[in-house]
Structure formats: C-alpha cells, structure tokens
Amino acid sequence: MSMTQQATPAVDTPPAPGPKQSDGRTRQRPLALRLLARPEVGVFLGAVAVYVFFLAAAPPVRDASSMANVLYQSSTIGIMAIPVALLMIGGEFDLSAGVAVIASALTASMTAYQLSMNIWVGVIVALAVSLAIGFFNGWMVVRTGLPSFLITLGTFLMLQGVNLAVTKLVTGNVATDDISDMDGFTQAKQIFASSFDIGGVQVKITVFYWLIFAGLATWVLLRTKYGNWIFAVGGNKGSARAVGVPVTFTKISLFMLVGLGAWFLGMHQLFSFNTVQSGEGVGVELIYISAAVIGGCLLTGGSGTAIGPVFGAFMFGMVQQGIVYAGWNPDWFKAFLGVMLLGAVLINLWIQRTATRR
C-alpha cells in the first residue's frame, strides 16, 4: 500500500512590529516649538507682557473705558500697519504713508469746503488722490528699479511741502476750515468716525474696521493667488517673473493698497475732528513700519503675516495710553517705544532661533 505525502506551503510569519526607527531627519518637532516658529507668536507674547506690565503699573488701565481708548489708539496705527505689512512682505516699504494720510484728509476737506460741494464729493476726490499717490510710488519703483526707500522718501518730502503750502494758499491758515455743518457730514461721520455702546463703554468703529481688515488681509495672503504673488515677488522678483507672476501689477497694487489705507484713516481723522492740521503726519510712518516689523515682517521681504502687525499695533497703543494712565512724563514716550521695538525684535528673534534649533 502506497502512501502519498502531500506538501504544505510554508507560511512566513511577519515579525512583531517594533518601535518605529527614525534617523532624526523626519522627526516632528513638538507643537510648542512649531508654534514659536510662527512670526506672530513672538509678538503676541510681547503684547501680553506689555499688557500685564501696564495692568500692574497703571491701575486705570483695568477700567473698561480705558481699555477702549487703548484699542482705539491701536486701531489708528493698525489700520495703516496692515497694508504697510503687505507691502513689506512684497519686498518694499513706504516712507510717505504718514503724510499721505494727512494729504487725503486735506484734499477731502478743501475740495468740499472751498468749492461748496457735498462732503462726499471731497471724499471721492480724496480717494482718487490717495490711489494716485500709491500708483505713482509703485510705478516709479518698478520703472526706475530704484529702492523704494529713495522713491517714497522723495514722495514724503513732496507731500509734506505740498500739504503745508497748498493749505496756506487756499485757506490762509495751516489748518482747514470746520466742515461739521456741510451736507453729507453726518452720514460720513457715521461711517468713518462713529462709536458703538458695548456694555456701557463707547468703542470707536475703527476698532471693528481694524479687525475686519486684518481678517481680510490674512485670507488674501493664505487663500488667494494674489497672496501667493505677494510672497513670490518679495522672496525673489526674478524667479517670480520667470514662473509667470505679474510682478509689475503686484508691486503697484501693493503701493495703491497703502494709499487706500491712508485714505480711510485720513477720512477718520477728518470726521473725528472736523478739521485737519496740515503739518501733521510726519514721523508716523515709522510707527506703521515698526508695528509691521515687530509683527514679524522682514525688511528684506518674502516673509510675514497680517495678524502679527495687529499685535504690534496693540503694543504701541498700549504703551502710548499706558504712559498717560501711569502718570509718567509723556516726553519719554518715543524712548519707551524704541526700547519696546528693540526688545520685541530681539525676543522674537530668540524665540524663532530656539524653535528652529534641532
């Protein structure tokens, strides 16, 4: 009797899974370090530190109405710091932003008052002038290839002189006439300079505009093709042009965006005080640029956010009002701001280096 032997296939049992090996290159950093690497996180921590400091040093800051004043002061800086930040991400900056605000307000006031027109005519003319100033700056930078520092420095000096000379020539004074009794003033004031009651505290409408503009700018940077263009032209203009980015359009539109911000803030100042001093606005552009730099925008371009300058503007507003509430000599304001600027930049640099260290 024969017996047949049936062969059974061998079954390879896979080895038990062990700990995943890593060569160190693919190791994911802790969440805390990844958050610290974000440019806006450092300025957020700095803003919290400034806020806590003045809470202790200036008890009036703890009052809700005082905080509303701080937010208002911050908003008047932040509304301009946002477009300035976008321009810096695009690799340029604008030294004429401060006097451009005053030029816009002067244009609206004198157009409406001296020509006896509805105030909205002046507002529209001012918008056209502000956009034209931004277009001129951007066109000159693109066409000449000169640094935006030189181009906008020239615009700054021209606007400073024109603001004073034209105002004196037209009104016979260094300030514009009161426009509070003109047609359209009440409606324009509601849009540009009104207040809202929140829990018994008057909050200026600019605070809401400030936050809305920041959210819109963040969406543009992170979710739109135009936002990609901004980062591209700021990082490397030649490479951006090689891959089809419209460099000329992007640069000029960013300067015009700064002009749009100058128009909006100029309208707020005009309808808040009914008149404009022609010599104002000098030096304010440095505060706008500083708020953007503190917020993580590099002077070399190609890096930054729209949220960081929000916290940078808050720091400036907190310091400006906090010194008053603390009862200190306001002459120290600029010195204190300089210390805060340098300190915030160094802290932000240290945090980012610590976060990116292996």
Side-chain angles (χ1 to χ4, degrees):
M1 181 174 177
S2 63
M3 299 182 60
T4 58
Q5 188 174 11
Q6 188 175 4
T8 57
V11 178
D12 293 332
T13 304
K20 187 176 181 180
Q21 300 296 321
S22 173
D23 62 359
R25 291 175 295 178
T26 60
R27 183 173 65 248
Q28 190 175 32
R29 292 176 297 161
L31 177 61
L33 291 182
R34 282 184 281 134
L35 287 176
L36 287 177
R38 297 290 304 170
E40 65 271 21
V41 173
V43 66
F44 169 74
L45 297 177
V48 171
V50 170
Y51 175 67
V52 172
F53 172 78
F54 279 105
L55 277 181
V61 172
R62 304 166 193 170
D63 186 70
S65 60
S66 298
M67 199 62 214
N69 290 333
V70 170
L71 290 176
Y72 168 64
Q73 192 65 43
S74 302
S75 69
T76 59
I77 298 171
I79 286 174
M80 277 300 293
I82 292 170
V84 167
L86 296 182
L87 179 64
M88 291 178 63
I89 295 173
E92 311 291 346
F93 60 97
D94 192 345
L95 289 178
S96 66
V99 290
V101 172
I102 303 303
S104 179
L106 291 171
T107 300
S109 178
M110 289 188 290
T111 299
Y113 188 91
Q114 262 64 39
L115 299 180
S116 300
M117 293 183 172
N118 188 290
I119 195 65
W120 283 103
V121 175
V123 170
I124 294 173
V125 172
L127 174 60
V129 169
S130 296
L131 292 177
I133 292 172
F135 178 85
F136 172 80
N137 285 335
W139 183 81
M140 287 292 292
V141 168
V142 171
R143 292 290 294 179
T144 65
L146 292 172
S148 54
F149 170 84
L150 294 177
I151 298 296
T152 58
L153 177 60
T155 308
F156 161 79
L157 294 173
M158 287 189 293
L159 288 178
Q160 184 182 5
V162 168
N163 287 350
L164 285 167
V166 173
T167 304
K168 287 182 179 180
L169 180 65
V170 173
T171 68
N173 204 340
V174 295
T176 60
D177 299 285
D178 191 320
I179 61 170
S180 59
D181 59 347
M182 296 190 64
D183 293 339
F185 178 86
T186 303
Q187 295 87 348
K189 186 178 180 67
Q190 285 294 319
I191 293 176
F192 294 106
S194 59
S195 300
F196 291 92
D197 185 279
I198 300 179
V201 177
Q202 292 294 313
V203 180
K204 286 285 189 179
I205 195 173
T206 51
V207 176
F208 300 99
Y209 283 130
W210 173 38
L211 299 179
I212 291 171
F213 293 161
L216 181 60
T218 299
W219 177 78
V220 168
L221 280 178
L222 302 181
R223 293 289 184 266
T224 68
K225 183 185 295 186
Y226 183 70
N228 293 333
W229 293 349
I230 294 174
F231 283 109
V233 299
N236 190 309
K237 181 174 62 177
S239 299
R241 183 175 282 112
V243 297
V245 174
V247 174
T248 298
F249 168 79
T250 305
K251 294 272 188 181
I252 292 178
S253 63
L254 286 172
F255 277 102
M256 293 180 70
L257 191 61
V258 174
L260 180 63
W263 166 78
F264 189 90
L265 189 59
M267 296 306 97
H268 166 71
Q269 293 190 10
L270 173 61
F271 295 112
S272 291
F273 306 108
N274 309 335
T275 183
V276 185
Q277 294 288 331
S278 59
E280 294 181 350
V282 178
V284 185
E285 67 282 343
L286 298 180
I287 295 181
Y288 302 150
I289 294 173
S290 297
V293 171
I294 290 177
C297 296
L298 300 180
L299 290 174
T300 53
S303 178
T305 68
I307 294 298
V310 172
F311 299 125
F314 175 78
M315 289 179 65
F316 277 85
M318 185 75 252
V319 171
Q320 189 168 6
Q321 293 298 117
I323 287 178
V324 175
Y325 290 134
W328 300 341
N329 188 340
D331 293 338
W332 289 98
F333 169 65
K334 290 293 179 65
F336 198 93
L337 286 184
V339 172
M340 293 304 302
L341 170 62
L342 184 59
V345 171
L346 292 176
I347 292 173
N348 197 23
L349 178 64
W350 175 80
I351 289 176
Q352 292 190 37
R353 286 181 175 177
T354 302
T356 55
R357 188 179 303 151
R358 290 189 180 274

Short mmCIF file of all heavy atoms in Angstrom, two decimals, residues 108-109 112-113 117-124 179 182-188 270-271:
data_model
loop_
_atom_site.label_atom_id
_atom_site.label_comp_id
_atom_site.label_asym_id
_atom_site.label_seq_id
_atom_site.Cartn_x
_atom_site.Cartn_y
_atom_site.Cartn_z
N ALA A 108 -9.96 116.08 0.88
CA ALA A 108 -11.41 115.96 1.07
C ALA A 108 -12.00 117.23 1.66
O ALA A 108 -13.05 117.72 1.22
CB ALA A 108 -11.72 114.77 1.97
N SER A 109 -11.33 117.79 2.67
CA SER A 109 -11.85 118.96 3.35
C SER A 109 -11.87 120.18 2.45
O SER A 109 -12.91 120.86 2.32
CB SER A 109 -11.01 119.25 4.59
OG SER A 109 -11.47 120.41 5.25
N ALA A 112 -14.37 119.95 -0.65
CA ALA A 112 -15.78 120.15 -0.30
C ALA A 112 -16.05 121.58 0.18
O ALA A 112 -17.02 122.22 -0.25
CB ALA A 112 -16.18 119.15 0.78
N TYR A 113 -15.20 122.11 1.03
CA TYR A 113 -15.48 123.42 1.65
C TYR A 113 -15.25 124.56 0.66
O TYR A 113 -16.12 125.44 0.50
CB TYR A 113 -14.61 123.60 2.89
CG TYR A 113 -14.97 124.82 3.70
CD1 TYR A 113 -15.91 124.72 4.73
CD2 TYR A 113 -14.38 126.06 3.45
CE1 TYR A 113 -16.25 125.83 5.48
CE2 TYR A 113 -14.72 127.17 4.19
CZ TYR A 113 -15.66 127.06 5.21
OH TYR A 113 -16.01 128.17 5.94
N MET A 117 -19.30 122.07 -2.04
CA MET A 117 -19.91 120.84 -2.53
C MET A 117 -20.29 119.92 -1.38
O MET A 117 -19.87 120.14 -0.23
CB MET A 117 -18.96 120.10 -3.48
CG MET A 117 -18.67 120.82 -4.78
SD MET A 117 -17.61 119.85 -5.86
CE MET A 117 -17.66 120.83 -7.36
N ASN A 118 -21.08 118.91 -1.69
CA ASN A 118 -21.39 117.89 -0.71
C ASN A 118 -20.09 117.22 -0.26
O ASN A 118 -19.17 117.01 -1.07
CB ASN A 118 -22.33 116.85 -1.33
CG ASN A 118 -22.84 115.86 -0.29
OD1 ASN A 118 -22.11 115.02 0.22
ND2 ASN A 118 -24.14 115.95 0.01
N ILE A 119 -20.02 116.89 1.01
CA ILE A 119 -18.78 116.36 1.57
C ILE A 119 -18.35 115.07 0.88
O ILE A 119 -17.16 114.74 0.81
CB ILE A 119 -18.92 116.16 3.09
CG1 ILE A 119 -17.54 115.96 3.74
CG2 ILE A 119 -19.83 114.97 3.40
CD1 ILE A 119 -16.66 117.15 3.65
N TRP A 120 -19.32 114.31 0.33
CA TRP A 120 -18.98 113.05 -0.33
C TRP A 120 -18.19 113.29 -1.62
O TRP A 120 -17.42 112.40 -2.04
CB TRP A 120 -20.23 112.24 -0.61
CG TRP A 120 -20.74 111.57 0.62
CD1 TRP A 120 -21.80 111.95 1.38
CD2 TRP A 120 -20.18 110.41 1.25
NE1 TRP A 120 -21.95 111.10 2.45
CE2 TRP A 120 -20.98 110.15 2.40
CE3 TRP A 120 -19.10 109.59 0.96
CZ2 TRP A 120 -20.70 109.08 3.25
CZ3 TRP A 120 -18.83 108.53 1.81
CH2 TRP A 120 -19.62 108.28 2.94
N VAL A 121 -18.34 114.44 -2.23
CA VAL A 121 -17.52 114.77 -3.39
C VAL A 121 -16.05 114.85 -2.98
O VAL A 121 -15.16 114.32 -3.65
CB VAL A 121 -17.98 116.09 -4.03
CG1 VAL A 121 -17.05 116.48 -5.18
CG2 VAL A 121 -19.41 115.97 -4.53
N GLY A 122 -15.82 115.51 -1.84
CA GLY A 122 -14.45 115.59 -1.33
C GLY A 122 -13.90 114.22 -0.97
O GLY A 122 -12.72 113.94 -1.20
N VAL A 123 -14.74 113.37 -0.40
CA VAL A 123 -14.30 112.02 -0.03
C VAL A 123 -13.86 111.24 -1.27
O VAL A 123 -12.82 110.57 -1.27
CB VAL A 123 -15.42 111.28 0.71
CG1 VAL A 123 -15.08 109.80 0.89
CG2 VAL A 123 -15.68 111.92 2.07
N ILE A 124 -14.64 111.34 -2.34
CA ILE A 124 -14.31 110.59 -3.57
C ILE A 124 -13.05 111.15 -4.22
O ILE A 124 -12.18 110.40 -4.69
CB ILE A 124 -15.51 110.64 -4.54
CG1 ILE A 124 -16.69 109.88 -3.94
CG2 ILE A 124 -15.13 110.06 -5.89
CD1 ILE A 124 -17.98 110.01 -4.73
N ILE A 179 -15.86 121.66 8.86
CA ILE A 179 -16.82 121.19 7.86
C ILE A 179 -18.03 120.51 8.51
O ILE A 179 -18.81 119.86 7.82
CB ILE A 179 -16.15 120.18 6.91
CG1 ILE A 179 -15.63 118.96 7.68
CG2 ILE A 179 -15.01 120.84 6.13
CD1 ILE A 179 -15.17 117.83 6.79
N MET A 182 -21.61 120.94 6.93
CA MET A 182 -21.76 120.76 5.49
C MET A 182 -22.66 119.56 5.17
O MET A 182 -22.81 118.64 6.00
CB MET A 182 -20.40 120.58 4.83
CG MET A 182 -19.50 121.81 4.95
SD MET A 182 -18.02 121.66 3.93
CE MET A 182 -18.74 121.64 2.29
N ASP A 183 -23.25 119.57 3.98
CA ASP A 183 -24.11 118.47 3.55
C ASP A 183 -23.30 117.17 3.45
O ASP A 183 -22.21 117.15 2.88
CB ASP A 183 -24.72 118.79 2.18
CG ASP A 183 -25.71 119.94 2.24
OD1 ASP A 183 -26.21 120.21 3.35
OD2 ASP A 183 -25.95 120.56 1.19
N GLY A 184 -23.86 116.12 4.01
CA GLY A 184 -23.23 114.82 3.95
C GLY A 184 -22.31 114.52 5.11
O GLY A 184 -21.84 113.38 5.24
N PHE A 185 -22.04 115.52 5.97
CA PHE A 185 -21.09 115.31 7.06
C PHE A 185 -21.59 114.25 8.04
O PHE A 185 -20.83 113.37 8.46
CB PHE A 185 -20.83 116.62 7.80
CG PHE A 185 -19.88 116.47 8.95
CD1 PHE A 185 -18.51 116.53 8.76
CD2 PHE A 185 -20.36 116.26 10.25
CE1 PHE A 185 -17.64 116.38 9.83
CE2 PHE A 185 -19.49 116.11 11.32
CZ PHE A 185 -18.12 116.17 11.11
N THR A 186 -22.85 114.32 8.42
CA THR A 186 -23.39 113.39 9.41
C THR A 186 -23.30 111.95 8.93
O THR A 186 -22.89 111.06 9.68
CB THR A 186 -24.85 113.74 9.73
OG1 THR A 186 -24.92 115.09 10.20
CG2 THR A 186 -25.40 112.80 10.79
N GLN A 187 -23.65 111.71 7.66
CA GLN A 187 -23.59 110.36 7.13
C GLN A 187 -22.15 109.85 7.06
O GLN A 187 -21.87 108.70 7.39
CB GLN A 187 -24.22 110.31 5.74
CG GLN A 187 -25.71 110.60 5.71
CD GLN A 187 -26.00 112.10 5.61
OE1 GLN A 187 -25.11 112.93 5.78
NE2 GLN A 187 -27.26 112.42 5.32
N ALA A 188 -21.24 110.73 6.62
CA ALA A 188 -19.83 110.32 6.53
C ALA A 188 -19.24 110.04 7.91
O ALA A 188 -18.45 109.11 8.09
CB ALA A 188 -19.03 111.41 5.82
N LEU A 270 -10.45 113.27 9.66
CA LEU A 270 -11.20 114.45 9.25
C LEU A 270 -12.56 114.51 9.94
O LEU A 270 -12.95 115.54 10.49
CB LEU A 270 -11.38 114.46 7.74
CG LEU A 270 -12.29 115.54 7.16
CD1 LEU A 270 -11.74 116.93 7.47
CD2 LEU A 270 -12.47 115.35 5.66
N PHE A 271 -13.29 113.39 9.95
CA PHE A 271 -14.64 113.40 10.50
C PHE A 271 -14.66 113.21 12.02
O PHE A 271 -15.71 113.36 12.64
CB PHE A 271 -15.48 112.33 9.81
CG PHE A 271 -15.70 112.62 8.36
CD1 PHE A 271 -15.12 111.82 7.38
CD2 PHE A 271 -16.44 113.71 7.96
CE1 PHE A 271 -15.30 112.09 6.04
CE2 PHE A 271 -16.63 114.00 6.62
CZ PHE A 271 -16.05 113.19 5.65
#
